[in-house]
Amino acid sequence: MPPMYLSYCSAFALSSLGLTLHRTHLISALLCLESMMLSMYIALSVLPIENQTASLALTPILMLTFSACEAGTGLAMLVASTRTHGSDHLHNLNLLQC
């Protein structure tokens, strides 16, 4: 396994591990999601160049666009939950209550 591929996979794995283990604040979950998207973007951008294969140039840009939309939606949810519940703790958020 090439070292660059190992670093992409380990960055994604550490981000998903952080998402599963550190679920106290909404902002930490959003940061883990963003780091997962960033590692996927870098892998989609660099791996075709490293392997000298043809790739779609539009795919990393679409990934980056969806990542920006996800970040904006996550921050909007963070602000809304902080205004209504007073904190960004995930245990305060209950989807069964309206």
Side-chain angles (χ1 to χ4, degrees):
M1 181 181 295
M4 292 292 283
Y5 185 72
L6 181 66
S7 65
Y8 301 142
C9 290
S10 64
F12 187 81
L14 286 175
S15 300
S16 61
L17 185 69
L19 184 63
T20 57
L21 294 180
H22 301 291
R23 293 183 301 170
T24 56
H25 294 279
L26 183 59
I27 191 72
S28 64
L30 290 174
L31 282 173
C32 288
L33 282 174
E34 284 302 313
S35 63
M36 288 170 69
M37 292 297 280
L38 183 65
S39 66
M40 287 172 55
Y41 170 73
I42 292 173
L44 281 174
S45 299
V46 175
L47 282 178
I49 296 170
E50 184 178 301
N51 294 335
Q52 296 176 353
T53 59
S55 72
L56 297 172
L58 193 60
T59 306
I61 294 176
L62 283 175
M63 173 72 80
L64 197 60
T65 304
F66 286 128
S67 175
C69 292
E70 178 254 333
T73 305
L75 288 177
M77 287 174 43
L78 176 69
V79 168
S81 69
T82 303
R83 284 184 180 173
T84 58
H85 297 291
S87 70
D88 69 333
H89 290 288
L90 288 176
H91 63 81
N92 290 339
L93 303 175
N94 189 359
L95 293 177
L96 298 177
Q97 294 177 347
C98 290

